Amino acid sequence: MHALWVWAHPHASSLNGRLREVGMKALGAAGWSVDEIDLYREGFNPLLVERGEADVRRHQDRLREADLLVVQFPLWWYSVPAILKGWIDRVFESGFAFDVPDPETGKPLKYGKGGLVGKRALTIVTAGDRSATLGPRGISGDIEDVLWPLLHGTFWYTGMDPLRPHLITDTDTIDAQVMARIESDLSVRLEGVMTEPRIDYRPMAEEHYDHTIRLHDSVAPGKDGLSAHREG
Protein backbone atom coordinates (compact mmCIF):
# COMPACT_ATOMS: atom_id res chain seq x y z
CA MET A 1 0.00 0.00 0.00
CA HIS A 2 1.14 3.52 -0.75
CA ALA A 3 0.34 6.72 1.17
CA LEU A 4 0.72 10.39 0.31
CA TRP A 5 1.34 12.47 3.44
CA VAL A 6 0.61 16.17 2.93
CA TRP A 7 1.26 18.48 5.84
CA ALA A 8 1.10 22.21 6.43
CA HIS A 9 2.90 23.75 9.37
CA PRO A 10 5.51 26.52 9.29
CA HIS A 11 7.75 24.92 11.93
CA ALA A 12 9.21 21.46 11.43
CA SER A 13 10.22 21.30 15.11
CA SER A 14 6.61 21.76 16.25
CA LEU A 15 4.12 19.24 17.61
CA ASN A 16 2.95 18.76 14.03
CA GLY A 17 6.49 17.96 13.00
CA ARG A 18 6.68 15.27 15.67
CA LEU A 19 3.31 13.82 14.69
CA ARG A 20 4.43 13.65 11.07
CA GLU A 21 7.58 11.79 12.12
CA VAL A 22 5.67 9.32 14.30
CA GLY A 23 2.95 8.78 11.72
CA MET A 24 5.22 8.16 8.76
CA LYS A 25 7.31 5.78 10.86
CA ALA A 26 4.17 3.87 11.90
CA LEU A 27 3.06 3.48 8.29
CA GLY A 28 6.52 2.33 7.27
CA ALA A 29 6.56 -0.25 10.07
CA ALA A 30 3.21 -1.54 8.83
CA GLY A 31 4.66 -2.13 5.36
CA TRP A 32 3.53 1.07 3.64
CA SER A 33 5.54 3.13 1.22
CA VAL A 34 5.08 6.82 2.01
CA ASP A 35 5.50 9.90 -0.15
CA GLU A 36 5.67 13.22 1.69
CA ILE A 37 4.65 16.68 0.56
CA ASP A 38 5.83 19.30 3.06
CA LEU A 39 4.10 22.38 1.71
CA TYR A 40 6.07 24.95 3.69
CA ARG A 41 9.50 23.42 3.18
CA GLU A 42 8.80 22.88 -0.52
CA GLY A 43 7.68 26.49 -0.87
CA PHE A 44 4.45 25.43 -2.58
CA ASN A 45 2.72 28.30 -4.34
CA PRO A 46 -0.92 28.26 -3.18
CA LEU A 47 -2.18 30.83 -5.68
CA LEU A 48 -4.34 29.52 -8.49
CA VAL A 49 -3.54 31.53 -11.60
CA GLU A 50 -3.47 29.08 -14.48
CA ARG A 51 -4.66 25.49 -14.68
CA GLY A 52 -2.47 22.59 -15.64
CA GLU A 53 0.84 24.02 -14.44
CA ALA A 54 3.82 21.68 -14.24
CA ASP A 55 4.05 21.59 -10.43
CA VAL A 56 0.34 20.76 -10.22
CA ARG A 57 0.73 17.89 -12.67
CA ARG A 58 3.54 16.45 -10.55
CA HIS A 59 1.41 16.62 -7.41
CA GLN A 60 -1.52 15.05 -9.23
CA ASP A 61 0.69 12.17 -10.29
CA ARG A 62 1.75 11.64 -6.67
CA LEU A 63 -1.86 11.72 -5.48
CA ARG A 64 -2.96 9.38 -8.26
CA GLU A 65 -0.52 6.74 -7.01
CA ALA A 66 -1.73 6.84 -3.41
CA ASP A 67 -4.14 4.41 -1.75
CA LEU A 68 -4.29 6.68 1.29
CA LEU A 69 -4.12 10.47 1.52
CA VAL A 70 -3.09 11.83 4.92
CA VAL A 71 -3.65 15.56 5.34
CA GLN A 72 -2.08 17.00 8.49
CA PHE A 73 -2.53 20.56 9.73
CA PRO A 74 -3.22 22.84 12.70
CA LEU A 75 -6.80 24.10 12.92
CA TRP A 76 -6.64 27.83 12.17
CA TRP A 77 -9.85 29.81 12.37
CA TYR A 78 -11.90 26.63 12.06
CA SER A 79 -10.25 25.71 8.79
CA VAL A 80 -7.02 24.64 7.13
CA PRO A 81 -3.96 26.89 6.71
CA ALA A 82 -4.02 28.98 3.54
CA ILE A 83 -1.15 27.06 1.95
CA LEU A 84 -3.11 23.80 2.27
CA LYS A 85 -6.29 25.37 0.91
CA GLY A 86 -4.23 26.55 -2.04
CA TRP A 87 -2.86 23.04 -2.58
CA ILE A 88 -6.41 21.71 -2.77
CA ASP A 89 -7.54 24.55 -5.04
CA ARG A 90 -4.71 23.91 -7.48
CA VAL A 91 -4.27 20.12 -7.38
CA PHE A 92 -7.92 19.02 -7.23
CA GLU A 93 -8.58 20.28 -10.74
CA SER A 94 -11.59 19.80 -12.96
CA GLY A 95 -11.13 16.68 -15.04
CA PHE A 96 -8.76 15.18 -12.50
CA ALA A 97 -10.57 15.17 -9.14
CA PHE A 98 -14.04 16.34 -10.20
CA ASP A 99 -16.06 16.94 -13.36
CA VAL A 100 -15.08 13.43 -14.39
CA PRO A 101 -17.90 12.10 -16.63
CA ASP A 102 -19.79 8.92 -15.94
CA PRO A 103 -18.98 6.67 -18.94
CA GLU A 104 -22.62 5.51 -19.07
CA THR A 105 -24.52 8.79 -18.68
CA GLY A 106 -21.94 11.47 -19.43
CA LYS A 107 -22.95 13.28 -16.23
CA PRO A 108 -20.19 14.33 -13.81
CA LEU A 109 -19.47 11.87 -11.01
CA LYS A 110 -19.66 13.29 -7.50
CA TYR A 111 -20.35 12.50 -3.84
CA GLY A 112 -18.94 9.02 -3.43
CA LYS A 113 -17.79 8.88 -7.03
CA GLY A 114 -15.30 10.93 -9.01
CA GLY A 115 -11.71 11.14 -10.07
CA LEU A 116 -10.28 10.00 -6.74
CA VAL A 117 -12.59 7.06 -6.07
CA GLY A 118 -10.99 4.11 -4.29
CA LYS A 119 -8.71 6.21 -2.10
CA ARG A 120 -9.06 6.83 1.64
CA ALA A 121 -8.51 10.22 3.24
CA LEU A 122 -7.44 10.83 6.84
CA THR A 123 -7.06 14.25 8.46
CA ILE A 124 -4.70 14.68 11.40
CA VAL A 125 -5.64 17.92 13.13
CA THR A 126 -4.17 19.81 16.08
CA ALA A 127 -6.11 22.41 18.04
CA GLY A 128 -5.54 24.53 21.12
CA ASP A 129 -9.18 24.08 22.16
CA ARG A 130 -10.18 21.60 24.83
CA SER A 131 -11.59 18.29 23.63
CA ALA A 132 -15.17 19.01 24.70
CA THR A 133 -15.15 22.33 22.86
CA LEU A 134 -14.83 20.50 19.54
CA GLY A 135 -17.26 17.75 20.55
CA PRO A 136 -20.94 17.25 19.71
CA ARG A 137 -22.16 19.89 22.20
CA GLY A 138 -19.07 22.10 22.22
CA ILE A 139 -19.26 25.79 21.40
CA SER A 140 -16.85 25.37 18.50
CA GLY A 141 -18.94 22.62 16.93
CA ASP A 142 -18.14 18.96 16.48
CA ILE A 143 -14.90 18.54 14.54
CA GLU A 144 -16.66 16.58 11.78
CA ASP A 145 -19.04 19.50 11.27
CA VAL A 146 -16.24 22.07 11.44
CA LEU A 147 -14.37 20.18 8.72
CA TRP A 148 -17.47 19.47 6.60
CA PRO A 149 -16.13 21.45 3.60
CA LEU A 150 -13.02 19.26 3.57
CA LEU A 151 -14.47 15.89 4.55
CA HIS A 152 -17.71 16.03 2.57
CA GLY A 153 -17.20 18.87 0.11
CA THR A 154 -13.72 17.81 -1.02
CA PHE A 155 -12.92 14.20 -0.12
CA TRP A 156 -16.37 12.66 -0.48
CA TYR A 157 -17.25 14.92 -3.42
CA THR A 158 -14.27 13.60 -5.40
CA GLY A 159 -14.97 9.95 -4.55
CA MET A 160 -12.60 9.34 -1.66
CA ASP A 161 -13.62 7.58 1.55
CA PRO A 162 -13.31 10.20 4.32
CA LEU A 163 -12.32 8.89 7.75
CA ARG A 164 -13.19 10.56 11.05
CA PRO A 165 -10.61 13.24 11.86
CA HIS A 166 -7.74 12.28 14.13
CA LEU A 167 -7.94 15.24 16.50
CA ILE A 168 -5.32 16.27 19.05
CA THR A 169 -6.58 18.99 21.40
CA ASP A 170 -5.17 21.00 24.33
CA THR A 171 -1.94 21.42 22.38
CA ASP A 172 -0.60 24.10 24.74
CA THR A 173 -0.62 21.78 27.75
CA ILE A 174 0.94 18.56 26.43
CA ASP A 175 3.54 17.04 28.73
CA ALA A 176 5.77 14.00 28.17
CA GLN A 177 3.19 11.53 29.49
CA VAL A 178 0.42 12.93 27.34
CA MET A 179 2.71 13.02 24.32
CA ALA A 180 3.53 9.34 24.72
CA ARG A 181 -0.19 8.54 24.66
CA ILE A 182 -0.75 10.76 21.63
CA GLU A 183 2.04 9.00 19.73
CA SER A 184 0.70 5.57 20.65
CA ASP A 185 -2.86 6.49 19.66
CA LEU A 186 -1.72 7.78 16.28
CA SER A 187 0.37 4.69 15.57
CA VAL A 188 -2.52 2.38 16.43
CA ARG A 189 -4.91 4.42 14.30
CA LEU A 190 -2.64 4.22 11.29
CA GLU A 191 -2.18 0.47 11.66
CA GLY A 192 -5.90 -0.01 11.05
CA VAL A 193 -6.48 2.86 8.67
CA MET A 194 -7.59 0.69 5.74
CA THR A 195 -10.10 -1.37 7.71
CA GLU A 196 -11.89 1.23 9.82
CA PRO A 197 -15.30 2.35 8.53
CA ARG A 198 -15.52 5.58 6.57
CA ILE A 199 -17.78 8.42 7.63
CA ASP A 200 -21.20 7.24 6.48
CA TYR A 201 -22.11 10.07 4.12
CA ARG A 202 -24.97 9.35 1.75
CA PRO A 203 -24.09 8.86 -1.91
CA MET A 204 -25.77 11.16 -4.41
CA ALA A 205 -28.36 8.61 -5.54
CA GLU A 206 -32.03 8.88 -6.48
CA GLU A 207 -33.03 6.88 -3.41
CA HIS A 208 -31.68 9.73 -1.24
CA TYR A 209 -31.93 12.95 -3.27
CA ASP A 210 -34.40 14.50 -5.71
CA HIS A 211 -33.49 16.29 -8.95
CA THR A 212 -32.56 19.46 -7.02
CA ILE A 213 -30.10 17.37 -4.94
CA ARG A 214 -32.27 17.90 -1.87
CA LEU A 215 -33.02 14.99 0.43
CA HIS A 216 -36.39 13.37 -0.15
CA ASP A 217 -38.82 14.13 2.66
CA SER A 218 -38.92 10.42 3.45
CA VAL A 219 -35.14 10.33 4.07
CA ALA A 220 -33.97 11.20 7.59
CA PRO A 221 -37.38 12.62 8.59
CA GLY A 222 -37.17 15.19 11.35
CA LYS A 223 -33.51 15.86 10.69
CA ASP A 224 -32.06 19.01 9.20
CA GLY A 225 -28.53 20.26 8.67
CA LEU A 226 -25.40 18.25 8.15
CA SER A 227 -26.37 15.16 10.13
CA ALA A 228 -29.23 14.44 7.72
CA HIS A 229 -26.67 13.62 5.04
CA ARG A 230 -25.29 10.70 7.01
CA GLU A 231 -26.78 7.24 6.80
CA GLY A 232 -26.10 6.31 10.42
Side-chain angles (χ1 to χ4, degrees):
M1 304 297 285
H2 181 67
L4 177 62
W5 192 293
V6 181
W7 70 295
H9 196 284
H11 304 300
S13 60
S14 63
L15 169 64
N16 270 269
R18 177 59 183 163
L19 293 172
R20 163 257 173 206
E21 180 181 342
V22 169
M24 291 182 65
K25 183 178 179 180
L27 285 176
W32 287 75
S33 59
V34 186
D35 182 14
E36 176 191 4
I37 295 177
D38 181 341
L39 294 173
Y40 275 93
R41 256 59 62 189
E42 292 187 16
F44 182 80
N45 179 7
L47 300 180
L48 173 58
V49 179
E50 300 290 342
R51 296 188 178 274
E53 295 178 280
D55 61 335
V56 168
R57 291 286 179 251
R58 289 193 295 270
H59 282 227
Q60 288 174 346
D61 289 342
R62 295 163 77 176
L63 178 54
R64 187 180 289 111
E65 293 174 0
D67 302 291
L68 170 69
L69 172 65
V70 178
V71 179
Q72 181 194 343
F73 57 93
L75 189 67
W76 288 352
W77 290 106
Y78 301 94
S79 187
V80 301
I83 197 169
L84 178 55
K85 180 59 167 63
W87 183 79
I88 294 168
D89 289 346
R90 295 188 65 210
V91 174
F92 284 53
E93 281 186 327
S94 172
F96 169 71
F98 72 101
D99 274 349
V100 176
D102 185 326
E104 295 183 3
T105 67
K107 295 180 179 179
L109 298 167
K110 59 183 74 173
Y111 296 114
K113 301 178 182 179
L116 302 180
V117 69
K119 304 181 188 300
R120 310 206 104 197
L122 173 67
T123 51
I124 300 175
V125 189
T126 58
D129 269 342
R130 289 167 287 184
S131 178
T133 306
L134 285 161
R137 293 177 58 82
I139 194 170
S140 294
D142 186 81
I143 189 62
E144 289 187 24
D145 291 344
V146 171
L147 296 180
W148 171 269
L150 180 61
L151 300 172
H152 187 272
T154 304
F155 296 156
W156 183 237
Y157 185 86
T158 59
M160 289 191 280
D161 286 340
L163 306 177
R164 61 180 175 81
H166 192 84
L167 176 65
I168 296 96
T169 56
D170 298 284
T171 55
D172 296 327
T173 60
I174 294 174
D175 58 22
Q177 183 177 4
V178 172
M179 190 64 202
R181 187 183 72 245
I182 289 172
E183 292 179 7
S184 176
D185 289 347
L186 178 58
S187 297
V188 170
R189 177 81 188 274
L190 290 169
E191 287 173 6
V193 73
M194 295 303 284
T195 57
E196 68 172 83
R198 67 165 177 83
I199 299 175
D200 55 348
Y201 295 134
R202 300 180 189 277
M204 195 181 76
E206 291 182 0
E207 63 186 286
H208 301 299
Y209 297 94
D210 63 21
H211 70 282
T212 67
I213 321 181
R214 177 186 178 276
L215 284 170
H216 295 298
D217 291 338
S218 59
V219 176
K223 279 188 177 182
D224 293 309
L226 306 184
S227 64
H229 299 277
R230 295 184 58 165
E231 296 185 283

